[in-house]
Amino acid sequence: MTAREKAGDKYVYDFAEGNKELKDLLGGKGANLAEMTNLGLPVPPGFTITTEACKAYLATGREPDGLAGQIEAHLEALEREMGRRLGDPQDPLLVSVRSGARFSMPGMMETVLNVGLNDRSVVGLARQAGGSVGQAASGGSDRFAWDSYRRLIQMFGKTVCEVPGEEFEHALDEAKRAKGTHDDLDLDADDLRGLVETYKKIFAKHTGREFPQEPREQLDLAIRAVFASWNAERAILYRRQERIPADLGTAVNVVAMVFGNLGPDSGTGVAFTRDPGSGAQGIYGDYLANAQGEDVVAGIRNTVPLQELERLDPTSYHELLDIMARLEGHYRDLCDIEFTIERGKLWMLQTRVGKRTAAAAFVIAGQLVDEGLIDLDEALHRVNGAQLAQLMFPRFQLDHDFEAVARGIGASPGAASGAVVFTSARAVELAAEGKSVILVRRETNPDDLNGMIAAQGILTSRGGKTSHAAVVARGMGKTCVSGADGIEVDVPAKRFTVGGHTVVEGDVVSIDGTTGRVYLGEVPVTPSEVVQYFEGSLDPERTNDALVRAVHRIMTHADTRRRLAVRTNADTGADAARARRFGAEGIGLCRTEHMFLGDRRELVERLILAATDADRTDALAALLPLQRQDFVEIFREMAGLPVTVRLIDPPLHEFLPPLEQLAVNVAVAQERGEDVAKEEALLAAVRRMHEENPMLGLRGVRLGLVIPGLFAMQVRAIAEAAVAVTRDGGTACPEIMVPLVGAVQELETVRAEAEKIIAEVVGDSGVEVLIGTMIEVPRAALTAGQIAEAAQFFSFGTNDLTQMGWGFSRDDVEGAFFWRYLELGIFGISPFESIDRDGVGRLVRIAAEEGRAARPGLKLGVCGEHGGDPDSVHFFHEVGLDYVSCSPFRVPVARLEAGRAAIETTGSDSR
Ligand code: PEP
Ligand code: MG
């Protein structure tokens, strides 16, 4: 039975009744106030109205039965405890009414302070404030009381009754102007009394009624306003962005007011038990004497470092340090707290497990293990792949004022500065001179590969997160901003324009692949120590870098825990080598198409233009040794580890020049009377091959079935390379993968031919070659049981599966309209980035189950971009895949998340 069911119709909890586990019911703030109360810490007394009450209110528009009575009973108990009655004209109890949802939503919902003040109790409050220590001048306590009252009318008016806040601000400014000052503190009791009258008029003008004088009515209206603020537009937007469920509701905390603005012996502050920036141990916080919490937040006065409190009020300071140590020990984590000192008496107003930077998350998790507060599983649970990814990229030192001139999609994280170039060739030239360059294109294509390798970063004005530029850049761990559509790229003129600026070849720009921001000029960059560790150039046993030591320790633990193997997507020996250093246990996707580019393009053209079988056979024969050498290099790097080689996938016209360019060249050459027979043949071929929907056209297995000898050549190259490596004393474990299969018959046809070639090549060398297929067409997923009969493994191509599952063109939609889908909450994150569990994920699940039912033990992996996405890794673990494969740079992230997935049986609380 859950706490909620146990609670029945109980809608109000005294702080002494709750605890930190009841966040669903009491919200984060309420649950933690209860926990601190039960620890015996000095928390002002109060009670929490549950999220259930809020949900009932939002569903019906009225308080649920019994709520009013329960509030009454708890209020009476609070009054007894405090020895004061709410709003008593002689000696008033005042309360704050604060929202507090399950997940922190800073500043999104409402708070009303000083509830219980009215025309009569304001006098009692002045007496109370002046009398309790006897030394405050009555003028000072009068001022305090009237200031508190005007704050109530202002907050209540704005929050509860939607009076425009600026009207109160204007009135306050006007009062200051009349007094000839800019400082609120110069307004005396009389000024503030006058301001209260003005505020009341503003209130009456907008609401058509007087400011409510009845304390209980103030309280009830404030509670309703907090309930309603759950559905305020900004709160809805925030939830969408943060992926917080919409139906949780907020709790409401009613707390006896304590005042930090009663004089120099009062004050308010915030503190962290460790540095939330670096994780370093110590005391971090800010203190503001003679102030209320909202003054700190508003930043109207300058705070002092918390250490100053030792001088100002040593007793409170030491008590605070004791409490912080207790809270850390109790929560076993970094806590952040808010406190108030009222005339030398310390009060705890809030605590929670504090937010922290990615670096601090790792460092603190490591420290807490050392301190014996948590074990390594818990440490692993407390960090995540997104944090690790952040730590792996170079960072801009944005301490100066740099203003972004454009913003695109953060397609591959990192920070890069360099001279702008517009062609791959120029990128290579300048890089050879030792210059940093940023390759700027409308969009990249496979021909830009060399330029992309040479560049520090890539900037495109078109395309999304799975555009060519994005996928390739991520694979290389290279910074990329794609789809920066504020930029007009003019390649022939070698310039781009953006917001009135013209940037020409050689000008320096800086791009941030995390935020998608583009800056003019050079922004200084710091390299990542975590990458140096993964690369092997920083020894974790020897460095005194606390972050590297913590990352090493947690990664090592993740590796011992994970069930999923982690492979990489790599198609060169260099990428394979890097991925191995990052911990890859094989290649899950070696795309073979880049092997048809560069100086091999001519051979590919011969193949495509072949007029006879003999011409085609010649072209293929010339390609064979080149392909074989590619595979030899990769098999050597991956010695003994599986290498999944995918047969060629993209439509062949991608290897030919663009139609328009070719047509112009031919026309010009004809005009000049030159011999254009070859170009004309090419042009005819390009026209013949033109497709309206190439992504759904002649590609993948279809190519293999239509172009005789193409797949056969590749299969032979793979088998021969494996045999050559084995004969040299190495071990090659090739797995041949057929792309875009939709029907088992397609695979059977390819497989029959491949097996003959393999048998012939392999002979008695001992090499074993597996044949499997990608599952990337929805029909393949739905007929996986049949396909498994012919496949020794499946690898889910979730890029195409998402493209075809949703009917979203992967090159277009992210830049074109996903912003609107995200805004509307149709999905919280692009399905190309994180697997759509309900739809595309369901196809994966069906295929995994039916594939394994037909062929027990069938090896299952994923090689789409999702293989390196933290959330998706958890899904693939749940579905029972054997491995995920991702770009080299994301291998550590996948290792970490696979470890986390293995230890996590319950949901994470890390938000
Ligand atoms: C896929 O579709 O998920 C895949 C890995 O293949 P590609 O991205 O090369 O189409
Ligand atoms: Mg694909």
Side-chain angles (χ1 to χ4, degrees):
M1 200 161 57
T2 65
R4 192 179 297 170
E5 288 160 10
K6 258 188 265 163
D9 284 345
K10 182 171 167 59
Y11 290 120
V12 185
Y13 283 66
D14 191 87
F15 288 166
E17 293 176 292
N19 65 58
K20 70 177 170 34
E21 309 308 330
L22 294 181
K23 288 203 187 92
D24 284 341
L25 192 64
L26 304 180
K29 184 176 284 167
N32 286 323
L33 281 169
E35 189 76 11
M36 286 201 290
T37 301
N38 292 324
L39 285 172
L41 302 184
V43 175
F47 54 85
T48 303
I49 302 163
T50 65
T51 52
E52 290 297 309
C54 173
K55 286 194 266 186
Y57 177 81
L58 293 177
T60 61
R62 59 176 195 84
E63 281 95 351
D65 291 344
L67 177 60
Q70 291 182 35
I71 292 176
E72 187 66 39
H74 279 81
L75 184 60
E76 277 171 15
L78 179 62
E79 289 176 332
R80 272 197 303 281
E81 189 172 352
M82 299 298 292
R84 288 176 176 151
R85 280 190 306 105
L86 184 71
D88 183 343
Q90 303 304 321
D91 185 17
L93 166 67
L94 304 186
V95 295
S96 63
V97 179
R98 296 170 189 267
S99 59
R102 167 79 177 82
F103 299 112
S104 149
M105 296 170 56
M108 288 301 133
M109 288 178 304
E110 306 298 3
T111 289
V112 187
L113 303 180
N114 304 335
V115 168
L117 273 178
N118 57 23
D119 292 351
R120 294 193 305 149
S121 62
V122 66
V123 180
L125 179 68
R127 194 173 317 120
Q128 206 181 76
S132 55
V133 287
Q135 55 178 327
S138 71
S141 44
D142 274 353
R143 182 192 185 285
F144 158 76
W146 286 101
D147 189 40
S148 301
Y149 191 18
R150 74 99 192 152
R151 285 177 194 246
L152 168 65
I153 303 172
Q154 184 166 352
M155 266 193 230
F156 190 94
K158 185 167 167 243
T159 305
V160 180
C161 301
E162 293 171 13
V163 179
E166 316 81 73
E167 297 229 8
F168 295 117
E169 300 293 341
H170 289 155
L172 180 61
D173 288 344
E174 192 46 49
K176 286 192 276 188
R177 201 168 17 252
K179 189 90 182 177
T181 180
H182 292 295
D183 191 343
D184 294 13
L185 293 176
D186 288 335
L187 298 178
D188 62 22
D190 283 340
D191 300 325
L192 291 163
R193 187 182 288 121
L195 197 56
V196 162
E197 287 314 310
T198 313
Y199 274 16
K200 284 204 263 182
K201 287 198 189 103
I202 295 173
F203 185 93
K205 182 178 90 188
H206 281 280
T207 60
R209 60 163 293 185
E210 298 302 314
F211 177 74
Q213 292 291 312
E214 179 51 50
R216 181 59 204 268
E217 186 189 2
Q218 290 176 1
L219 178 62
D220 288 340
L221 291 174
I223 291 170
R224 267 181 231 161
V226 174
F227 283 160
S229 67
W230 176 258
N231 279 338
E233 204 171 317
R234 62 181 178 187
I236 293 173
L237 267 177
Y238 182 86
R239 286 199 294 272
R240 264 193 212 136
Q241 255 164 30
E242 297 293 311
R243 299 165 80 189
I244 295 174
D247 57 356
L248 300 177
T250 180
V252 184
N253 300 290
V254 177
V255 193
M257 283 295 299
V258 288
F259 296 97
N261 53 346
L262 275 174
D265 56 353
S266 302
T268 189
V270 294
F272 296 90
T273 54
R274 294 175 201 232
D275 183 349
S278 68
Q281 275 150 312
I283 295 147
Y284 297 86
D286 300 306
Y287 183 69
L288 191 56
N290 199 5
Q292 278 198 312
E294 46 172 346
D295 302 332
V296 180
V297 179
I300 7 190
R301 280 159 54 202
N302 286 340
T303 56
V304 295
L306 187 59
Q307 280 80 352
E308 275 287 296
L309 184 60
E310 183 165 27
R311 197 175 50 75
L312 298 170
D313 182 352
T315 313
S316 296
Y317 179 71
H318 289 291
E319 187 185 352
L320 182 65
L321 293 199
D322 284 349
I323 289 175
M324 282 161 68
R326 274 189 73 187
L327 284 174
E328 257 223 352
H330 185 72
Y331 281 86
R332 301 177 303 124
D333 207 346
L334 158 81
C335 294
D336 80 21
I337 60 175
E338 287 176 20
F339 65 94
T340 278
I341 298 174
E342 182 183 283
R343 291 189 167 139
K345 163 88 180 113
L346 174 68
W347 293 102
M348 304 299 294
L349 298 191
Q350 175 168 327
T351 192
R352 62 183 171 202
V353 167
K355 295 217 189 303
R356 65 207 71 188
T357 62
F362 278 87
V363 171
I364 291 172
Q367 287 166 353
L368 294 174
V369 173
D370 287 337
E371 290 164 30
L373 285 174
I374 60 172
D375 61 16
L376 273 166
D377 272 0
E378 181 65 28
L380 178 56
H381 174 69
R382 289 189 185 183
V383 295
N384 61 50
Q387 291 165 335
L388 182 64
Q390 265 181 40
L391 295 172
M392 288 180 65
F393 294 104
R395 303 175 293 277
F396 277 138
Q397 297 163 13
L398 275 176
D399 26 19
H400 313 285
D401 262 357
F402 286 100
E403 210 186 307
V405 288
R407 187 155 187 189
I409 295 172
S412 177
S417 287
V420 166
V421 293
F422 295 91
T423 62
S424 192
R426 190 71 183 134
V428 173
E429 259 168 49
L430 289 189
E433 292 169 20
K435 296 214 172 90
S436 291
V437 297
I438 304 289
L439 178 62
V440 182
R441 312 275 296 161
R442 284 188 67 211
E443 55 199 342
T444 59
N445 61 48
D447 263 345
D448 291 317
L449 201 65
N450 288 334
M452 294 176 78
I453 293 170
Q456 292 303 112
I458 297 114
L459 169 61
T460 70
S461 59
R462 291 205 56 211
K465 278 208 161 151
T466 47
S467 61
H468 178 266
V471 173
V472 176
R474 275 202 295 278
M476 297 178 187
K478 201 148 276 193
T479 304
C480 175
V481 172
S482 64
D485 54 10
I487 286 178
E488 272 302 321
V489 182
D490 185 345
V491 173
K494 296 191 187 153
R495 67 164 181 239
F496 71 78
T497 51
V498 56
H501 304 274
T502 300
V503 177
V504 300
E505 186 178 278
D507 287 354
V508 173
V509 299
S510 301
I511 58 171
D512 186 328
T514 308
T515 62
R517 291 201 168 90
V518 180
Y519 303 90
L520 298 183
E522 179 167 353
V523 183
V525 169
T526 316
S528 153
E529 26 330 53
V530 172
V531 168
Q532 291 168 28
Y533 151 64
F534 284 127
E535 291 277 11
S537 57
L538 238 177
D539 180 349
E541 308 295 340
R542 293 181 142 182
T543 174
N544 51 17
D545 186 321
L547 172 61
V548 167
R549 287 204 315 271
V551 168
H552 171 66
R553 193 162 178 199
I554 294 173
M555 288 305 294
T556 309
H557 186 63
D559 285 341
T560 62
R561 291 304 236 160
R562 65 188 160 87
R563 182 187 60 70
L564 279 173
V566 178
R567 298 195 196 177
T568 191
N569 295 357
D571 24 315
T572 64
D575 269 358
R578 179 179 219 200
R580 277 203 76 175
R581 289 197 297 279
F582 281 13
E585 297 155 305
I587 289 183
L589 173 61
C590 171
R591 292 183 169 101
T592 51
E593 37 271 19
H594 94 262
M595 300 169 180
F596 286 73
L597 294 169
D599 45 12
R600 303 176 189 180
R601 182 176 289 274
E602 198 202 330
L603 293 175
V604 177
E605 281 180 14
R606 264 173 57 195
L607 170 70
I608 296 172
L609 298 179
T612 63
D613 285 353
D615 288 349
R616 190 177 45 249
T617 310
D618 280 356
L620 287 168
L623 277 166
L624 175 70
L626 304 173
Q627 284 260 279
R628 186 170 52 222
Q629 188 51 32
D630 297 328
F631 298 131
V632 164
E633 279 165 31
I634 292 171
F635 292 149
R636 284 213 178 106
E637 287 298 347
M638 281 289 158
L641 298 174
V643 175
T644 307
V645 182
R646 181 182 71 186
L647 303 180
I648 189 164
D649 180 27
L652 285 186
H653 65 74
E654 284 200 10
F655 302 94
L656 299 178
L659 178 64
E660 298 82 7
Q661 186 191 325
L662 204 55
V664 172
N665 290 354
V666 169
V668 171
Q670 279 169 341
E671 195 68 17
R672 291 193 192 128
E674 293 168 9
D675 175 12
V676 286
K678 186 173 164 234
E679 282 72 15
E680 278 174 345
L682 254 183
L683 182 59
V686 171
R687 288 217 166 100
R688 201 172 50 244
M689 288 183 196
H690 176 78
E691 292 173 320
E692 291 299 337
N693 283 313
M695 276 292 186
L696 302 178
L698 182 60
R699 53 174 286 219
V701 67
R702 305 162 195 175
L703 267 181
L705 298 176
V706 169
I707 313 260
L710 178 59
F711 275 11
M713 180 278 289
Q714 289 197 296
V715 169
R716 184 174 292 279
I718 294 165
E720 288 182 358
V723 170
V725 168
T726 308
R727 295 238 154 93
D728 278 355
T731 315
C733 310
E735 302 179 342
I736 292 177
M737 179 154 79
V738 185
L740 223 75
V741 165
V744 68
Q745 294 82 351
E746 292 170 315
L747 182 62
E748 280 167 351
T749 311
V750 173
R751 185 176 168 177
E753 187 184 14
E755 277 177 340
K756 266 195 227 131
I757 298 167
I758 292 167
E760 178 195 315
V761 174
V762 162
D764 59 359
S765 64
V767 168
E768 197 193 347
V769 185
L770 302 187
I771 300 178
T773 181
M774 295 194 72
I775 300 289
E776 55 182 346
V777 174
R779 189 181 188 281
L782 297 173
T783 59
Q786 295 167 14
I787 292 178
E789 303 283 349
Q792 287 170 293
F793 64 88
F794 283 174
S795 178
F796 290 95
T798 46
N799 302 335
D800 271 308
L801 205 52
T802 302
Q803 168 163 264
M804 292 182 232
W806 276 90
F808 281 152
S809 159
R810 57 197 262 199
D811 288 333
D812 301 307
V813 289
E814 282 178 292
F817 63 80
F818 268 21
W819 59 272
R820 183 67 181 140
Y821 273 47
L822 293 165
E823 197 177 76
L824 290 170
I826 293 172
F827 36 63
I829 186 166
S830 159
F832 284 109
E833 201 176 334
S834 196
I835 192 92
D836 150 38
R837 288 176 177 240
D838 297 344
V840 177
R842 179 132 192 262
L843 290 171
V844 172
R845 203 183 276 278
I846 290 169
E849 282 169 10
E850 297 189 2
R852 285 225 171 110
R855 184 189 278 257
L858 176 70
K859 182 152 48 166
L860 299 175
V862 56
C863 61
E865 282 295 295
H866 303 85
D869 167 67
D871 269 358
S872 311
V873 170
H874 287 244
F875 174 75
F876 298 131
H877 171 87
E878 281 162 41
V879 178
L881 301 197
D882 296 302
Y883 68 87
V884 295
S885 185
C886 54
S887 54
F889 216 66
R890 294 170 98 188
V891 165
V893 171
R895 284 165 52 202
L896 184 79
E897 289 295 352
R900 296 185 70 226
I903 59 161
E904 270 169 23
T905 44
T906 53
S908 156
D909 206 13
S910 57
R911 202 187 299 264

